[in-house]
Amino acid sequence: MVENYLCSTGFYHVFRIGVIRGFYPLLAALVERWRPKTHTFVLLVGEVIVILKDVAHIFGLPIDGELVSGWTDSNSDFLQRQSIAIFGRKPVVSNSSKSYIKLGWVWHIRDAEPVDTEESIKRYIRCQIFCFLGSTLFTNKSTAYAHAKYLPLLCDFERIHTYSWGSACLAHLYRELCRASRYDAKEMDDPLNLLFVWAWERLPCIAPVPRQTLDTNCHEVTATILFEWRPYEGLIIPDELHGHLEVCDIIASLLLFECVEWHPGNRVMH
């Protein structure tokens, strides 16, 4: 029952990815080749980029729909009302910022749910999604807390799947790559799962598990075949994502609350 309800939110496929061990030398190499003005990586094969199509195929998240945006000034009354509506109780927040809810407390709420009624199942899934947003998809410097601004988007369970979570995720990735490329940056926030899987799909010779069609002497691969321009050919995708793929090449702004980044798909079109 939980899986069925989770599928209806659009988050089922991304939850199946699980934990990915990051290869940080690869991250450092990509950041060095990132150009903030163009939002592209400059490689030997030319300019390449993580685009909406990558997000749809890797994460299975909707890339078209309502904007992931709304009220960000989480005062005490707002926070308590939203928390009671989502979690059924008053929140445990950060000592330094009352707008951030402690994820450990949310995990505890989730694990305490009996999941024996429709409402308890929905509360369980809301807890799961909120923690995922704060710990994986839209992380900040502290992975122990998540901003309360996401709560209103989870209030109406039937509308969760209507938001463009995929495009918001890509906006966040662009913003974090731009920050990480600064000379004084020491680390980079998620979504690193998206970046690592994109690199392994587009640059198969560096993937942890090489494809069967890849030559075993992958270190001898020349620059002309180093980059896979169409890695998803023939891939079966969920029916609910077919309509979303029609906007993969859109040239427009991507938005995540106060984060607005440009999607320059035209720079990598052939």
Side-chain angles (χ1 to χ4, degrees):
M1 288 189 297
V2 171
E3 281 192 1
N4 291 335
Y5 277 96
L6 187 58
C7 285
S8 69
T9 67
F11 279 85
Y12 176 73
H13 301 286
V14 71
F15 277 137
R16 296 182 64 195
I17 294 178
V19 178
I20 294 178
R21 293 183 178 272
F23 185 56
Y24 289 92
L26 169 60
L27 174 61
L30 289 172
V31 169
E32 286 182 357
R33 289 159 176 77
W34 177 257
R35 300 297 179 265
K37 290 185 178 181
T38 59
H39 284 171
T40 57
F41 297 107
V42 178
L43 305 181
L44 292 176
V45 295
E47 286 185 307
V48 300
I49 191 175
V50 185
I51 56 176
L52 288 170
K53 180 179 290 186
D54 296 299
V55 182
H57 281 93
I58 295 172
F59 275 178
L61 289 171
I63 58 174
D64 188 22
E66 297 185 49
L67 298 176
V68 180
S69 185
W71 187 256
T72 60
D73 184 13
S74 304
N75 58 55
S76 179
D77 291 339
F78 169 86
L79 187 60
Q80 291 195 18
R81 287 197 310 271
Q82 293 297 325
S83 180
I84 292 174
I86 300 298
F87 307 124
R89 61 201 74 185
K90 295 181 179 180
V92 174
V93 298
S94 169
N95 292 328
S96 58
S97 176
K98 302 304 181 182
S99 296
Y100 286 84
I101 297 176
K102 189 175 182 179
L103 291 181
W105 174 79
V106 180
W107 288 122
H108 176 75
I109 298 299
R110 186 206 65 171
D111 294 339
E113 282 297 330
V115 292
D116 55 357
T117 64
E118 180 181 10
E119 185 55 37
S120 65
I121 292 174
K122 289 181 178 180
R123 187 179 295 117
Y124 178 95
I125 293 175
R126 287 190 182 103
C127 291
Q128 185 85 4
I129 293 176
F130 182 77
C131 288
F132 179 77
L133 297 178
S135 64
T136 303
L137 213 59
F138 309 128
T139 59
N140 51 36
K141 297 303 179 184
S142 173
T143 57
Y145 298 88
H147 201 287
K149 62 187 178 183
Y150 301 111
L151 292 180
L153 306 183
L154 305 179
C155 192
D156 187 344
F157 195 86
E158 307 304 323
R159 291 185 59 189
I160 294 177
H161 75 283
T162 65
Y163 292 99
S164 183
W165 299 105
S167 64
C169 172
L170 190 56
H172 183 64
L173 177 62
Y174 287 169
R175 177 64 59 88
E176 292 307 315
L177 282 167
C178 291
R179 287 176 175 171
S181 64
R182 297 174 183 173
Y183 74 95
D184 57 346
K186 297 181 179 180
E187 58 186 5
M188 177 179 166
D189 295 332
D190 278 333
L192 295 181
N193 281 2
L194 173 62
L195 185 60
F196 285 132
V197 176
W198 171 85
W200 295 331
E201 288 288 342
R202 297 286 188 171
L203 302 164
C205 64
I206 65 171
V209 181
R211 299 178 185 177
Q212 296 179 353
T213 57
L214 186 66
D215 181 55
T216 55
N217 297 319
C218 59
H219 62 279
E220 297 179 358
V221 177
T222 63
T224 57
I225 57 174
L226 177 63
F227 192 80
E228 179 61 60
W229 292 101
R230 295 182 177 181
Y232 312 115
E233 291 295 315
L235 184 68
I236 299 176
I237 64 170
D239 293 337
E240 61 268 22
L241 285 181
H242 279 287
H244 291 264
L245 295 179
E246 297 178 359
V247 303
C248 282
D249 297 328
I250 191 173
I251 313 302
S253 297
L254 307 176
L255 186 141
L256 169 64
F257 287 94
E258 70 280 4
C259 172
V260 182
E261 298 289 342
W262 190 250
H263 181 248
N266 57 321
R267 298 189 69 93
V268 293
M269 290 180 184
H270 283 246

